[in-house]
Amino acid sequence: MKLVEMTVSQFADVMASDAPAPGGGSASALNGAIGAGLAAMVCALTVGKKKYVEFEGLAKETEEKALALKDKFVTIIDTDTEAFNAVSAVFTMPKDTDEEKAARKAAMLEALKGCTVSPYQMMELAAEALELVSALVGKSNATAASDLGCAALNLKSAIQGAWLNVCININGMADQAFADEYRAKGQALLDKALPMADAAYAAILEQCNS
Amino acid sequence: MKLVEMTVSQFADVMASDAPAPGGGSASALNGAIGAGLAAMVCALTVGKKKYVEFEGLAKETEEKALALKDKFVTIIDTDTEAFNAVSAVFTMPKDTDEEKAARKAAMLEALKGCTVSPYQMMELAAEALELVSALVGKSNATAASDLGCAALNLKSAIQGAWLNVCININGMADQAFADEYRAKGQALLDKALPMADAAYAAILEQCNS
């Protein structure tokens, strides 16, 4: 059964179970889906409102982009766990002969690369979604300010959670060039996205208090 | 239909729709459920492992507490949206006579208090769950370190998201004493919980890199 076809309640249960997957990777993808979804909702609550007519164009355009990002994140909820399961599958490979050992090692490297690319993709999507959220601050329905703030928080959690997954999988990886590449690319995304998330949250908290 | 009985995919869709609820409140409760769930999973992956026998007692005890918190958060996913719907319902009340206006005003105050208590309860639960996560850092299965980090991130997002909901609902509230009480109590929880979340994340990121 696909994870996204489970009920929310079942998904929380399987997350809490002793099965190592789904774990933090799929949880981060869910955060991304909810964050992008909330951004889309804030746009939907802005479109068609007289008070926000000057932001109508921005809201419509952003809603479409946020919905597309939401859909991509929903897909990754399952594909990230599949990438993890590929690592687990390597542990069942035979390791008696030198050839088997070499095949196992190569398969593990490929599987770990899959578990790096998947969260890295989440980081890219989350950074993109955070740009959308930033642009909406002060330019969307103020009654939904807390929702926009929760969008920023979920996307920050998504990118940081995905980063932990990148780090744990490239750590000690046999292909050092691959590891270095993803470490540098991931860090660059973080450097750009985290200040955006924090600034959006701070501005929205002020808005909720004034 | 209860929100937690929707599929994960449907839940993300309804979050992204133009319906104002579910919104950031239920999203924060989901963050809490996934955060507490991940903490329980890390405990489950620690129990019964020879390498971690010295943490067996802590893991067992913490797993039970984390599962209970997960269940409470799952319940709040729906009750928070119900509290929000009570506010929407007030807008349908008549406001022609002075009596009707007074009744409407009183009902709005009560509804806004409901929308303050609900996220405040989430903040309490998230702070409790973050204490559990903090205690597990370095004392649980290291292969699940990224999952524990994602637990910390989700719980931080839950407490900060809930706080935005507390703030937006007490802002300008007619009952100033109630507003002051919840602002002070909420701030105290944040002051305690956020440094715990940040310290846990920083320690785990280091662990994932070494």
Side-chain angles (χ1 to χ4, degrees):
Chain A
M1 188 184 196
K2 281 176 70 178
L3 294 170
V4 298
E5 286 166 7
M6 292 180 180
T7 67
V8 171
S9 174
Q10 286 172 328
F11 184 79
D13 284 348
V14 70
M15 193 60 81
S17 78
D18 64 356
S26 290
S28 298
L30 176 62
N31 286 332
I34 298 297
L38 281 168
M41 178 185 94
V42 172
C43 293
L45 294 173
T46 303
V47 171
K49 297 277 193 304
K50 228 186 229 174
K51 191 174 172 184
Y52 302 107
V53 67
E54 62 176 314
F55 309 131
E56 180 94 6
L58 173 73
K60 275 187 179 167
E61 198 184 312
T62 307
E63 183 180 7
E64 203 175 309
K65 289 181 186 170
L67 286 174
L69 288 168
K70 184 264 297 169
D71 287 341
K72 286 183 187 173
F73 272 121
V74 167
T75 301
I76 299 186
I77 293 173
D78 276 280
T79 54
D80 189 80
T81 286
E82 287 160 17
F84 181 88
N85 288 339
V87 173
S88 303
V90 175
F91 287 109
T92 66
M93 290 173 71
K95 50 176 177 176
D96 297 325
T97 67
D98 283 350
E99 270 175 10
E100 283 172 354
K101 281 179 195 166
R104 206 174 187 264
K105 206 173 160 185
M108 179 56 88
L109 178 59
E110 280 318 298
L112 285 175
K113 284 184 179 179
C115 283
T116 304
V117 171
S118 171
Y120 176 74
Q121 283 171 341
M122 286 188 230
M123 293 181 74
E124 285 185 319
L125 298 175
E128 209 178 315
L130 277 165
E131 286 200 42
L132 300 182
V133 167
S134 285
L136 291 171
V137 177
K139 293 181 180 172
S140 50
N141 194 326
T143 63
S146 55
D147 301 304
L148 190 61
C150 288
L153 292 169
N154 267 280
L155 292 165
K156 182 180 175 185
S157 177
I159 199 169
Q160 287 189 299
W163 177 234
L164 286 177
N165 282 276
V166 168
C167 289
I168 204 167
N169 288 311
I170 59 176
N171 192 24
M173 185 181 268
D175 186 340
Q176 189 64 43
F178 179 95
D180 289 347
E181 180 195 340
Y182 277 85
R183 182 175 300 283
K185 290 200 296 190
Q187 188 63 54
L189 282 176
L190 280 183
D191 291 347
K192 191 180 160 195
L194 294 186
M196 272 199 298
D198 291 339
Y201 180 75
I204 290 164
L205 182 58
E206 206 184 314
Q207 204 179 336
C208 290
N209 285 327
S210 62
Chain B
M1 189 183 194
K2 284 177 69 177
L3 294 170
V4 299
E5 286 166 5
M6 291 178 181
T7 67
V8 170
S9 175
Q10 287 172 329
F11 184 79
D13 284 347
V14 70
M15 192 62 80
S17 78
D18 64 357
S26 290
S28 298
L30 176 61
N31 285 333
I34 298 298
L38 280 169
M41 179 185 95
V42 172
C43 293
L45 294 174
T46 304
V47 171
K49 298 279 194 302
K50 228 186 225 174
K51 192 174 171 186
Y52 301 108
V53 66
E54 60 177 314
F55 308 131
E56 179 95 5
L58 173 73
K60 275 187 177 166
E61 199 185 311
T62 307
E63 183 180 7
E64 203 174 311
K65 289 181 186 171
L67 286 174
L69 288 167
K70 185 264 295 168
D71 287 340
K72 286 183 187 173
F73 272 121
V74 167
T75 300
I76 298 186
I77 293 173
D78 276 281
T79 55
D80 189 80
T81 285
E82 287 159 17
F84 180 88
N85 288 339
V87 173
S88 303
V90 175
F91 287 108
T92 68
M93 289 173 72
K95 50 176 177 177
D96 297 325
T97 68
D98 283 352
E99 269 174 8
E100 282 173 354
K101 281 179 193 163
R104 205 174 187 263
K105 206 173 159 185
M108 180 55 89
L109 179 59
E110 280 318 298
L112 285 175
K113 284 184 179 178
C115 284
T116 305
V117 172
S118 171
Y120 177 74
Q121 284 171 340
M122 285 188 229
M123 293 182 74
E124 286 185 320
L125 297 176
E128 210 177 313
L130 277 166
E131 286 201 42
L132 300 182
V133 167
S134 285
L136 290 171
V137 177
K139 293 180 180 173
S140 49
N141 193 327
T143 62
S146 55
D147 302 303
L148 190 61
C150 288
L153 292 169
N154 267 280
L155 292 165
K156 183 180 175 186
S157 176
I159 198 168
Q160 287 189 298
W163 177 235
L164 286 178
N165 282 276
V166 167
C167 289
I168 203 166
N169 288 310
I170 60 176
N171 192 25
M173 184 180 271
D175 186 341
Q176 189 63 46
F178 179 95
D180 289 346
E181 180 194 339
Y182 277 85
R183 184 175 298 283
K185 289 201 298 192
Q187 189 63 56
L189 282 175
L190 280 184
D191 291 346
K192 192 181 159 193
L194 293 186
M196 271 197 300
D198 291 339
Y201 181 75
I204 290 164
L205 182 58
E206 205 184 314
Q207 204 179 335
C208 289
N209 285 327
S210 63

